[in-house]
Short mmCIF file of all heavy atoms in Angstrom, two decimals:
data_model
loop_
_atom_site.label_atom_id
_atom_site.label_comp_id
_atom_site.label_asym_id
_atom_site.label_seq_id
_atom_site.Cartn_x
_atom_site.Cartn_y
_atom_site.Cartn_z
N GLU A 28 3.79 14.01 -9.71
CA GLU A 28 4.87 14.99 -9.85
C GLU A 28 5.31 15.12 -11.30
O GLU A 28 5.48 16.22 -11.81
CB GLU A 28 6.07 14.57 -8.99
CG GLU A 28 5.84 14.76 -7.51
CD GLU A 28 7.00 14.21 -6.68
OE1 GLU A 28 8.10 14.00 -7.24
OE2 GLU A 28 6.79 13.98 -5.49
N ARG A 30 3.60 14.36 -14.02
CA ARG A 30 2.53 14.95 -14.80
C ARG A 30 2.42 16.45 -14.56
O ARG A 30 2.13 17.21 -15.48
CB ARG A 30 1.21 14.26 -14.51
CG ARG A 30 1.14 12.87 -15.08
CD ARG A 30 -0.13 12.19 -14.69
NE ARG A 30 -0.09 10.80 -15.07
CZ ARG A 30 -0.90 10.25 -15.96
NH1 ARG A 30 -1.82 10.97 -16.53
NH2 ARG A 30 -0.80 8.98 -16.25
N ASN A 46 -5.79 31.43 -27.86
CA ASN A 46 -5.64 32.83 -28.26
C ASN A 46 -4.20 33.24 -27.97
O ASN A 46 -3.84 33.44 -26.83
CB ASN A 46 -6.62 33.73 -27.49
CG ASN A 46 -6.54 35.17 -27.97
OD1 ASN A 46 -5.65 35.56 -28.70
ND2 ASN A 46 -7.48 35.96 -27.53
N SER A 70 -19.84 16.70 -15.49
CA SER A 70 -20.71 17.70 -14.88
C SER A 70 -19.81 18.71 -14.18
O SER A 70 -18.86 18.34 -13.50
CB SER A 70 -21.65 17.05 -13.86
OG SER A 70 -22.51 16.15 -14.50
N GLU A 74 -18.59 29.16 -10.60
CA GLU A 74 -19.21 30.31 -9.95
C GLU A 74 -18.16 31.41 -9.77
O GLU A 74 -17.01 31.12 -9.46
CB GLU A 74 -19.74 29.93 -8.56
CG GLU A 74 -20.81 28.87 -8.58
CD GLU A 74 -21.21 28.42 -7.18
OE1 GLU A 74 -20.46 28.67 -6.20
OE2 GLU A 74 -22.28 27.81 -7.07
N TYR A 94 -7.96 9.61 -9.57
CA TYR A 94 -8.16 10.67 -10.56
C TYR A 94 -8.43 11.99 -9.85
O TYR A 94 -7.91 13.04 -10.27
CB TYR A 94 -9.30 10.30 -11.51
CG TYR A 94 -9.40 11.22 -12.69
CD1 TYR A 94 -8.52 11.10 -13.76
CD2 TYR A 94 -10.35 12.24 -12.74
CE1 TYR A 94 -8.59 11.95 -14.85
CE2 TYR A 94 -10.42 13.10 -13.82
CZ TYR A 94 -9.54 12.95 -14.87
OH TYR A 94 -9.62 13.80 -15.94
N GLU A 100 -3.84 17.79 -7.65
CA GLU A 100 -2.43 18.15 -7.70
C GLU A 100 -2.08 18.95 -8.95
O GLU A 100 -1.25 19.86 -8.90
CB GLU A 100 -1.56 16.89 -7.59
CG GLU A 100 -1.57 16.30 -6.20
CD GLU A 100 -1.08 17.28 -5.14
OE1 GLU A 100 0.04 17.81 -5.27
OE2 GLU A 100 -1.84 17.54 -4.19
N THR A 119 -13.63 14.64 -3.08
CA THR A 119 -14.19 13.34 -2.74
C THR A 119 -13.67 12.36 -3.78
O THR A 119 -12.90 12.74 -4.66
CB THR A 119 -15.74 13.35 -2.76
OG1 THR A 119 -16.18 13.50 -4.11
CG2 THR A 119 -16.31 14.48 -1.89
N VAL A 124 -13.58 20.36 -5.95
CA VAL A 124 -14.00 21.76 -5.89
C VAL A 124 -12.74 22.58 -5.67
O VAL A 124 -11.98 22.34 -4.74
CB VAL A 124 -15.02 22.00 -4.75
CG1 VAL A 124 -15.40 23.48 -4.69
CG2 VAL A 124 -16.24 21.12 -4.91
N ILE A 134 2.33 34.08 -15.62
CA ILE A 134 3.65 33.48 -15.68
C ILE A 134 4.27 33.79 -17.03
O ILE A 134 3.58 34.07 -17.99
CB ILE A 134 3.62 31.96 -15.45
CG1 ILE A 134 2.85 31.26 -16.57
CG2 ILE A 134 3.11 31.60 -14.10
CD1 ILE A 134 3.01 29.76 -16.58
#
Side-chain angles (χ1 to χ4, degrees):
E28 287 174 18
R30 289 176 188 244
N46 184 349
S70 296
E74 298 174 343
Y94 190 77
E100 288 302 304
T119 69
V124 178
I134 64 168

